[in-house]
Amino acid sequence: MLINRIGDFALLLAIFSIYFIFNSLDYDVIFTLVPLALDYQVWVAGFEFSLIDIICILLFIGAMGKSAQLGLHTWLPDAMEGPTPVSALIHAATMVTAGVFLIARCSFLFEFSPLALNLVTFIGSITAFFAATTGLFQNDMKKVIAYSTCSQLGYMIFACGLSSYEVGIFHLSNHAFFKALLFLGAGSVIHAVADEQDMRKMGGLKRLLPFSYAITLIGSLALMGFPFLTGFYSKDVILEVAYAKYTTLGHFSYCLGTLAAFCTAFYSIRLLFLVFLAEPNGNRASILNAHEGSWRMTLPLFILSIFSIFIGYMTQDLFIGFGTNFWGASIFVLPQNYTLSDIEFINLFYKLLPLLLTILGFISAYALYSFFLSSYYDIKKNKSYKLIYNFLNKKWYFDRIYNEFMGQNILSISYHFSYKNIDRGIIENFGPYGITNNVKNIYKYFNDLQSGYISHYLFLFFFGTILLLFMTVTFYEIFISLDLLLFFISIMLFFDE
């Protein structure tokens, strides 16, 4: 919730800024007036920025919160605590895809902000690489798939940053099917082994859960972009567009995206091996009682597996084919930013490199866990390897930095300053506790005056009468003075007229 509130706050600022400059929140009005608002400049921290740049950057920060980009991504793996069907919906179709949709829908704004497009490309490519490397050594089955979602969202985001919004949405659409398949497949496996999620405590489930193995294999191959499955048709196009941009940032995103493709293949095969192909490592009773779910669980998996194989091929021409009118006027790209046609002319090696690295990651993971486990054990004992393993397993220490250095310090400041000094200090002393204590003190004072002596009561009566008369005369004179003053003022105003 806290991470998303940061993104929501930036999104609200963007909406307020849009209303301030365009006096409307209607898409048609805003997009029509954007070229007329390019000269609006604002000063931020001593630097001059275009207001369109500020609006687009704020919109992107909102998208970062929703689509779990680097810096605002930590909520995504934590969302795995929820039920698996909810995880599948969040990751495949609703919340995490909202940021990508927001950027694509606001393409009319982003196209006039090169600064924002460069930022989107940079953050998206780093997120794709970061999440892919983090997924390499996660041991929770659902968290591996969660980080793969984060990585794929990075691909979609940097595709939008390269002005290929239709390609980003195409990958989003394809990703929805195989990611829902993977999550529901993970739920089927977890349900079968008595709610165990640690992959190190599974193994040997291929013979016990053949259907779950088949659909997880299909989902994993589609995720890594294996040829002629759904992910292949959109993921490779994103990388080709990145290379065809022929800019430093475009080649930077291509390199990180290609390395992320290798990592994606590696952790996908690692998941398949540890869960299904390795020797059984789990609780004996759980392994022996493992069983496939009912038809209510298997039927949606079967339907999703069909889509995960064919939907990319079926919708490729619809989404990104030349001459398609599918998008109508909903996406706008400046002519100089359109590079989808250039991918036909790039070097064949750079087209095939992501596929080659994907196959290399596939073979590396399978060989390592099948034939070189003893050598891998020796590598694990190396101190340098331990540092790398801990760095990736602990998610680049983002959670630790946020929790220990930021969260704990904020809580400490909140306790010592806000709670102790303001809540328990100022508010309570001037609020309920202060009132009750003062009432008690006044009550004690008046209680002491009730001495029982008539002389004391006569003195108080006499003193009170004199005080009352003094106040009456004083207030009477003040009122007389005010009346005379108002009388003279009215006469002076009369003569002025």
Side-chain angles (χ1 to χ4, degrees), residues 104-120:
R105 191 66 184 91
C106 294
S107 58
F108 288 81
L109 285 167
F110 279 90
E111 282 300 291
F112 292 98
S113 176
L115 176 65
L117 286 177
N118 289 339
L119 181 64
V120 171

Side-chain angles (χ1 to χ4, degrees), residues 370-385:
S370 297
F371 308 112
F372 301 106
L373 267 181
S374 57
S375 303
Y376 185 43
Y377 179 73
D378 294 332
I379 295 172
K380 280 184 174 181
K381 294 187 291 186
N382 186 284
K383 288 185 178 180
S384 299
Y385 176 84

Side-chain angles (χ1 to χ4, degrees), residues 22 25 34 63 103 117 127 140 146 168 201 205 208 252 255 261 287 339 344 364 374 401 415 489:
F22 297 108
L25 293 177
V34 167
I103 295 174
L117 286 177
T127 302
D140 187 317
K201 298 179 182 179
L205 298 178
L208 300 173
F252 173 78
C255 292
I287 297 295
T339 55
E344 301 298 331
S364 300
S374 57
I401 292 169
Y415 174 74
I489 290 171

Side-chain angles (χ1 to χ4, degrees), residues 263-276:
C263 297
T264 301
F266 190 94
Y267 66 65
S268 297
I269 299 304
R270 175 176 177 266
L271 182 148
L272 283 168
F273 194 90
L274 291 179
V275 175
F276 295 103

